[in-house]
Amino acid sequence: MNMDVLRKQDEEIYGAIAGEVRRQTETLELIASENFASRAVMETCGSVMTNKYAEGYPGKRYYGGCEFVDIAENVARDRAKKLFGCEYVNVQPHSGSSANMGVLFAVLKPGDRIMGLDLSHGGHLTHGSKVNFSGQFFDAHTYGVERETGCIDMNRVEEMALDVRPKLIICGASAYSQGFDFKAFRDVADKAGAFLMADIAHPAGLIAAGLLNDPMPHCHFVTTTTHKTLRGPRGGMIMMGQDFENPLGITVKTKKGVRTKMMSEVIDAEIMPGIQGGPLMHIIAAKGVAFGEALQPEFRDYAVQVRSNAAAMADWFNSLGYNIVSGGTKNHLMLIDLRNKDVTGKVAENLLHEAGITVNKNMVPFDDKSPFVTSGIRVGTPAMTTRGMNESHSEAIAGLIDRVISAANTDSIEKVCREVREDVKAMCQDLPLNDFGPTP
Ligand code: DSN
């Protein structure tokens, strides 16, 4: 994007952005939750819609002059409904955390019990972590993966749910490479008398493309971010396959008397005015653009390639003697347990950074190291696939990562990182980012 005005006005911020453009252009992005949004999405994020206050919802705003932002929000909502096959959507959450907060605050009271996947087993902060609102406002219980398989065992989830009797069960993860059986989760939720929420922030693009189980028919609530596999602007969203009368006893007075509010009304009110004020209209408009892109047939091809790249990379890592938690991947990411390589996640992340490869250190299930050190790394293929990379690149990248990790405890590590960095740069130059990501 042309940044001449910023360059002249603010050298410091311009310099930071220019550095980030270089970094995104010349290095390999393997953080599983990152992607390159299209130029159309980024133009929309940088548009005049950032100037507009629009508290409320289309047709029911607290400010005048909302006729154009209303168009954008309606387009975003309609496209999201078509993309995910849902009856209700709220596109206003600023992030995945706000989306989750919106649902939790809409259906729970402080102190209510919830159940989610443990953060150290691949879950998310907002699924009940003690350092997050979800674990502080609510009585959070966490289920995990099995030590032997690295997979979630639904019998154990059921056992725990019947014991804990949570009011809400959360399924979904940030570092789990297997699919979720949403129907089985719903059966458990029904037996325990709980609401079920799926957080599909990570695999949303693969779900939209029909490559993974569909949560909509089974979950009361589905939340997501819009910037990971969905490849949109940074933001969040709440959906329901079908709206229903809220069973919480929340009513509204109308001219005809008192009626029970629909769940959609309860959630809308929880997002605004409950936890947010003015919506980010530039981001909502960009969500609309991204959903329009995701509705095109090319997006399905992209999603298929993301998954195929991840599978090829996991196979290659397995053949090189790496331990992938759960044995492999059915989605866009893998969690690699580095304990048999005598390297911590922290060291691996730093060395790979030196080599031009960006990953994040990650706890592995039953980790004996702290979250600042960790025993693993998480690797994902959404961004490299947007660059146009395929299975052969995946294998080559696994080989480059292995070169660095194998040299970690040797005298040649600096030389290896320098050489790999050159290989990475050449790979990136071969596949410039064209319609996505930064203009070099
Ligand atoms: N921080 C995100 C991730 O990296 O998975 C989840 O919110």
Side-chain angles (χ1 to χ4, degrees), residues 344-392:
T344 65
K346 182 180 176 182
V347 167
E349 180 190 300
N350 288 340
L351 292 176
L352 289 168
H353 178 260
E354 289 305 309
I357 298 173
T358 313
V359 301
N360 64 282
K361 61 179 171 292
N362 213 104
M363 301 276 280
V364 297
F366 310 101
D367 210 327
D368 52 349
K369 300 194 180 67
S370 81
F372 297 106
V373 179
T374 82
S375 295
I377 51 171
R378 187 185 62 164
V379 180
T381 54
M384 62 167 271
T385 307
T386 295
R387 225 179 224 291
M389 291 182 173
N390 59 28
E391 294 82 351
S392 62

Side-chain angles (χ1 to χ4, degrees), residues 31-34 96-97 124 173-175 201-202 225 227-228 360 362 378:
I31 291 185
S33 47
E34 294 187 15
S97 292
H124 188 256
S174 290
H202 264 266
T225 54
H227 50 274
K228 298 185 174 90
N360 64 282
N362 213 104
R378 187 185 62 164

Side-chain angles (χ1 to χ4, degrees), residues 334-346:
M334 67 213 71
L335 184 56
I336 306 176
D337 184 337
L338 293 170
R339 283 179 285 197
N340 65 336
K341 299 286 174 185
D342 203 17
V343 177
T344 65
K346 182 180 176 182

Side-chain angles (χ1 to χ4, degrees), residues 9 53-54 58 68 179 181 206 254 261 264 293 319 331 378 426 439:
Q9 178 180 317
Y53 251 123
F68 298 110
D181 185 343
L206 305 188
T254 67
K261 273 192 175 185
S264 54
E293 291 173 359
S319 72
N331 56 26
R378 187 185 62 164
T439 318

